[in-house]
Amino acid sequence: MKITRASVNITSPGRNFVTLKIETDEGIHGLGDGTLNGRELAVASCLNEHLLPCMIGRDPFQTEDIWQYLYRGGYWRRGPVLMSAIAAIDVALWDIKGKALNTPVYNLLGGKSREGVMVYAHASGKDIDHALEDVARYKEAGYKAIRVQSGIPGLGSAYGVPRGTNRYEPAQRGLPHEERWSTEIYLRHTPRLFERVRKAFGEELHLLHDCHHRLTPIEAGRLGKELEPFHLFWMEDPTPAEWQEGFKTIREHTTTPIAVGEVFNSIWDAHDLIRNQWIDYLRMSLVHGGGFTPLKKAADFAALYHVRTGFHGATDLSPITMAAALHFDLAIHNFGIQELMPHNEETNRVFLHQYTFKDGMMHPSDTPGLGVELDEAQAAKYKYQRAYLPVNRKLDGTLTDW
Ligand code: KDG
Ligand code: MG
């Protein structure tokens, strides 16, 4: 089998998505996601101008060699743009492989290790009372695990909490808008939020929380310690992770489990975190981490240190990445949990997918390959629109992490 054509589709059914289609001389095609929130066109250009011309005529079954060719052979390594572009190719090739062998991708990764994939939902509200109502809604819908964020009195709009009654979408169209942040107020507020959630919903429900990289290690240590009575499943992105050793300080102060990695694009971003057992869950996703080929190795490395996966699954990861993640989650032994932020109806009409949700668990389907197809006529209805994540400043105007 030979690759004959590769093309990039950019569509915006409510938010932007970059999709790669690889075609072969045997009439089988595969799809890969190359969406990088707020930097979509950079990945599309990397694919069109630099990587795809090198793919024509290659054997799509050679996923290992092609991945190494793109990673080692290009001289420049890592970085979210390049790794998302490589991921789009890698995932599309695994889709082709599954279709050609007439088997779901999870069978190529070791077969089923479990019956379903536990997912967590996002509950939020402008204050604690509204957040509790949202938790109740998700619990009623069958979720066994729920991330809880709430607006903070005195801070206006908070990242992770929708404005008004709109559905939550992290990126907003146009140029980046700005939000305000105060660590002091947040640290006082968050333990109260979880005290109320536990009181209202009991011990059974898994609770998660995302700090969006805004704390110093010692502030994260304090928060983790104060959240201990409420037994969180995880505290996510407590501190920026460029300096991996910062997590040692957090670990020394709390037993609250730590998840990190949605901005990682290489195992080298997490190497010290994993080998020192400073984290419990790795969130690096298939799209931003380079595809199935490197993530399988990263997960196996993490397993040696009792670190489990908890893949990023926000709306900027397209249904192709969602399907890919579910195949991966079903197959690997050290799966922990999968994030789920359901896509809007328009997106589901563009990406026809087979995965299902029942009682808090998802299944990728037994369709050969990934089980996702792109409706190109639907996709053509939605033109790219510039959109960005918000920028955050402290109350005195100092820029902080998002
Ligand atoms: O692209 C970034 C968003 O997907 C991210 O900010 C959402 O933090 C997020 C999460 O945990 O889903
Ligand atoms: Mg996050």
Side-chain angles (χ1 to χ4, degrees):
M1 194 187 287
K2 294 266 178 285
I3 296 172
T4 49
R5 191 167 178 267
S7 52
V8 175
N9 180 289
I10 303 175
T11 181
S12 194
R15 66 150 3 274
N16 296 316
F17 294 109
V18 175
T19 304
L20 173 66
K21 180 177 181 183
I22 297 185
E23 295 169 66
T24 65
D25 58 354
E26 294 190 17
I28 297 174
H29 68 268
L31 296 179
D33 175 24
T35 307
L36 182 63
N37 213 355
R39 302 289 184 269
E40 296 88 357
L41 302 186
V43 180
S45 165
C46 181
L47 282 164
N48 280 325
E49 305 301 328
H50 303 297
L51 306 190
L52 297 183
C54 308
M55 293 298 103
I56 307 304
R58 288 180 187 276
D59 176 352
F61 268 66
Q62 292 179 352
T63 45
E64 182 68 32
D65 184 65
I66 290 176
W67 195 89
Q68 300 295 348
Y69 178 87
L70 295 170
Y71 183 76
R72 292 174 196 275
Y75 190 71
W76 305 107
R77 299 183 185 190
R78 304 171 60 177
V81 174
L82 178 62
M83 298 309 284
S84 301
I86 293 177
I89 294 174
D90 186 75
V91 170
L93 297 183
W94 282 81
D95 189 23
I96 290 174
K97 224 188 258 207
K99 286 171 176 165
L101 297 172
N102 198 28
T103 195
V105 168
Y106 67 74
N107 274 338
L108 308 177
L109 297 166
K112 288 184 196 178
S113 284
R114 56 192 53 77
E115 287 164 13
V117 170
M118 181 168 71
V119 292
Y120 71 88
H122 283 206
S124 60
K126 66 177 183 191
D127 54 26
I128 295 181
D129 287 336
H130 286 86
L132 293 183
E133 284 172 20
D134 215 25
V135 174
R137 258 195 297 278
Y138 283 109
K139 190 164 182 276
E140 186 62 25
Y143 285 90
K144 299 179 188 340
I146 304 180
R147 184 187 100 161
V148 192
Q149 311 288 129
S150 98
I152 302 174
L155 277 191
S157 67
Y159 186 65
V161 177
R163 277 152 287 271
T165 52
N166 289 343
R167 181 190 186 98
Y168 177 59
E169 166 51 57
Q172 287 169 52
R173 285 173 168 167
L175 296 177
H177 87 278
E178 301 202 355
E179 293 181 347
R180 291 283 157 162
W181 177 253
S182 159
T183 298
E184 294 73 23
I185 303 178
Y186 168 77
L187 285 178
R188 286 200 299 273
H189 172 84
T190 305
R192 288 185 209 141
L193 166 66
F194 281 93
E195 185 178 16
R196 292 275 309 277
V197 178
R198 269 290 172 237
K199 211 164 166 191
F201 298 97
E203 279 292 326
E204 282 297 300
L205 197 60
H206 295 305
L207 299 178
L208 302 85
H209 181 68
D210 193 346
C211 306
H212 295 299
H213 307 103
R214 298 213 186 120
L215 306 176
T216 64
I218 197 66
E219 288 165 350
R222 168 181 153 190
L223 181 61
K225 198 173 190 169
E226 292 187 14
L227 291 174
E228 278 171 24
F230 316 118
H231 303 138
L232 262 59
F233 188 94
W234 80 33
M235 177 168 81
E236 176 182 335
D237 291 345
T239 195
E242 286 96 331
W243 183 49
Q244 298 184 34
E245 216 174 323
F247 284 74
K248 181 170 186 282
T249 303
I250 304 175
R251 216 33 156 191
E252 283 166 354
H253 289 86
T254 180
T255 56
T256 294
I258 307 295
V260 71
E262 64 182 51
V263 299
F264 294 175
N265 52 72
S266 161
I267 185 60
W268 296 106
D269 292 329
H271 183 242
D272 290 340
L273 296 174
I274 294 170
R275 74 187 175 88
N276 289 305
Q277 232 279 298
W278 290 334
I279 61 168
D280 301 279
Y281 296 93
L282 180 64
R283 283 180 52 68
M284 183 165 66
S285 68
L286 289 160
V287 50
H288 305 131
F292 286 115
T293 299
L295 256 302
K296 179 71 170 76
K297 294 169 193 175
D300 287 343
F301 172 64
L304 300 179
Y305 299 91
H306 303 276
V307 174
R308 290 184 278 166
T309 62
F311 282 175
H312 190 198
T315 40
D316 48 300
L317 292 90
S318 94
I320 298 170
T321 293
M322 191 66 208
L326 293 171
H327 285 277
F328 195 92
D329 298 340
L330 199 67
I332 62 160
H333 180 253
N334 56 324
F335 163 75
I337 199 165
Q338 171 68 49
E339 181 179 13
L340 170 66
M341 259 178 94
H343 292 104
N344 64 18
E345 287 311 309
E346 291 86 350
T347 301
N348 290 333
R349 280 198 290 272
V350 170
F351 297 93
L352 307 169
H353 57 76
Q354 307 291 323
Y355 49 76
T356 50
F357 171 92
K358 189 167 178 258
D359 298 332
M361 310 288 278
M362 289 186 76
H363 194 284
S365 93
D366 299 325
T367 311
L370 294 173
V372 186
E373 289 305 333
L374 178 72
D375 184 326
E376 294 179 29
Q378 283 288 331
K381 290 186 183 171
Y382 307 102
K383 297 286 169 236
Y384 167 80
Q385 293 187 40
R386 179 175 286 120
Y388 295 105
L389 289 165
V391 169
N392 272 278
R393 291 184 189 275
K394 293 186 180 173
L395 296 180
D396 70 355
T398 309
L399 261 172
T400 182
D401 286 87
W402 48 263

